[in-house]
């Protein structure tokens, strides 16, 4: 009975509450405007200030094979890019986020000559940060996406650092939150922005850090296709985020990793 009530509560919550995504970024104290599905497309398409790829609904993507999983739908290229140096912080602003179970993953991909002409579904993506289950159980514990939520009306802020030593160039940055509160029906919420990374870095991630999107997630993965309302899964105290390891550039380990590396959503 308890399991049934939890499942029903999750479905009701999913129906009556909005989903979400990030529509603004902050770098070095400067705000950069992304796409807002609540604003008419005619007021945003082609605007010189737009740094984010187009997404037109706050609803999730459900299919792990959907090509829109790369940069949401329709994923039209942004006009501008955010200037940032390797080692700088970037903050994604979420004006609301209400889901609480599932991982957060931050990705980048090298666009080559231009992100405006780049197909993200053909990119080689690498993780620069991730956050999963921090404490407690899978069903009721503290996940990264619960930890970064503010319930005082202020925006939820997800701050990370661009890996030091990363080769300068044009990149996509992809913020992704995966909600796992509905049994065997994972929800994917990705948004992509264009970056121009500066600095003197020359490092690139090796092949073991690269993957494709779609491709990295699969319904055969027990971490993606799961039911948190079963006793064995819901009461588990560990969760392994699938996919390649996080690439941190020169911030590889030890004190350097502690002083520079993953900041987590704040």
């Amino acid at each position: 009975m308890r399991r049934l009530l939890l499942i029903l509560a999750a479905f009701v919550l999913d129906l009556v509450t909005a989903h979400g995504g990030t529509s603004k970024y902050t770098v070095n104290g400067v705000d950069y405007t992304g796409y807002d599905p609540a604003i008419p497309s005619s007021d945003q398409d082609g605007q010189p200030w737009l740094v984010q790829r187009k997404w037109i609904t706050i609803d999730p993507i459900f299919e792990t094979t959907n090509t829109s999983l790369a940069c949401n739908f329709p994923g039209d290229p942004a006009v501008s890019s955010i200037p940032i140096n390797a080692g700088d912080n970037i903050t994604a602003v979420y004006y609301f986020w209400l889901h609480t179970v599932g991982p957060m993953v931050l990705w980048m991909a090298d666009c080559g000559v231009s992100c405006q002409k780049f197909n993200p579904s053909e990119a080689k993506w690498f993780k620069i940060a991730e956050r999963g289950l921090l404490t407690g159980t899978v069903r009721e514990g503290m996940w990264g996406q619960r930890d970064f939520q503010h319930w005082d009306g202020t925006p939820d802020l997800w701050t990370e650092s661009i890996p030091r030593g990363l080769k300068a160039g044009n990149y996509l940055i992809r913020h992704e939150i995966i909600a796992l509160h509905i049994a065997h029906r994972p929800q994917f919420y990705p948004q992509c922005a264009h970056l121009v990374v500066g600095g003197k870095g020359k490092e690139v991630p090796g092949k073991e850090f690269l993957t494709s999107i779609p491709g990295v997630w699969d319904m055969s993965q027990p971490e993606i296709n799961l039911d948190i309302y079963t006793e064995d899964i819901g009461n588990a105290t560990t969760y392994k985020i699938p996919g390649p390891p996080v690439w941190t550039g020169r911030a590889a380990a030890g004190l350097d990793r502690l002083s520079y590396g993953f900041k987590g959503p704040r």
Side-chain angles (χ1 to χ4, degrees):
M1 178 62 73
R2 171 177 163 79
R3 180 173 181 269
L4 178 59
L5 291 174
L6 288 170
I7 293 173
L8 289 174
F11 271 109
V12 171
L13 180 66
D14 204 52
L15 289 172
V16 302
T17 59
H19 302 295
T22 180
S23 292
K24 188 172 79 170
Y25 305 86
T26 302
V27 175
N28 294 322
V30 179
D31 291 337
Y32 296 89
T33 303
Y35 206 89
D36 188 340
I39 297 175
S41 296
S42 57
D43 295 339
Q44 303 182 83
D45 292 347
Q47 294 298 321
W49 43 261
L50 189 63
V51 298
Q52 188 183 50
R53 291 208 165 208
K54 184 175 181 177
W55 56 295
I56 58 175
T57 177
I58 62 174
D59 291 337
I61 296 170
F62 291 102
E63 305 85 10
T64 58
T65 57
N66 191 326
T67 55
S68 294
L69 194 60
C71 284
N72 217 308
F73 181 81
D76 297 346
V79 176
S80 298
S81 299
I82 301 172
I84 191 169
N85 287 326
D88 285 351
N89 288 349
I90 181 169
T91 297
V93 179
Y94 289 71
Y95 289 104
F96 57 86
W97 185 258
L98 301 178
H99 300 312
T100 59
V101 177
M104 307 170 73
V105 186
L106 185 57
W107 304 85
M108 292 184 70
D110 188 344
C111 295
V113 176
S114 171
C115 285
Q116 290 182 327
K117 299 180 180 179
F118 187 69
N119 184 348
S121 66
E122 298 177 356
K124 292 300 180 183
W125 294 93
F126 56 96
K127 294 179 182 177
I128 65 169
E130 62 181 18
R131 194 164 226 201
L133 180 62
L134 307 180
T135 60
T137 65
V138 166
R139 183 168 57 239
E140 298 178 352
M142 180 62 71
W143 289 80
Q145 61 177 287
R146 173 178 284 178
D147 187 45
F148 100 123
Q149 293 176 7
H150 293 161
W151 293 95
D152 58 2
T154 60
D156 305 325
L157 306 178
W158 182 0
T159 299
E160 303 292 353
S161 297
I162 303 301
R164 284 189 293 183
L166 178 65
K167 181 189 72 173
N170 300 300
Y171 290 87
L172 289 176
I173 189 164
R174 179 180 181 271
H175 289 78
E176 178 177 39
I177 302 181
I178 305 174
L180 300 174
H181 59 286
I182 301 296
H184 305 297
R185 192 163 170 77
Q187 301 180 359
F188 302 92
Y189 298 86
Q191 285 87 34
C192 295
H194 294 192
L195 301 182
V196 175
V197 176
K200 299 181 180 179
K202 298 181 180 179
E203 296 184 24
V204 295
K207 292 182 179 179
E208 67 273 22
F209 295 97
L210 303 178
T211 190
S212 299
I213 303 174
V216 66
W217 312 130
D218 191 278
M219 291 301 285
S220 67
Q221 296 166 329
E223 302 88 355
I224 296 298
N225 184 11
L226 76 170
D227 180 356
I228 68 170
Y229 306 105
T230 61
E231 291 301 312
D232 57 337
I233 295 175
N235 292 328
T237 56
T238 59
Y239 176 89
K240 184 181 183 301
I241 302 174
V246 172
W247 186 74
T248 58
R250 288 188 300 175
L255 293 177
D256 189 41
R257 172 65 171 157
L258 291 174
S259 62
Y260 155 71
F262 176 68
K263 306 268 188 311
R266 289 292 183 266

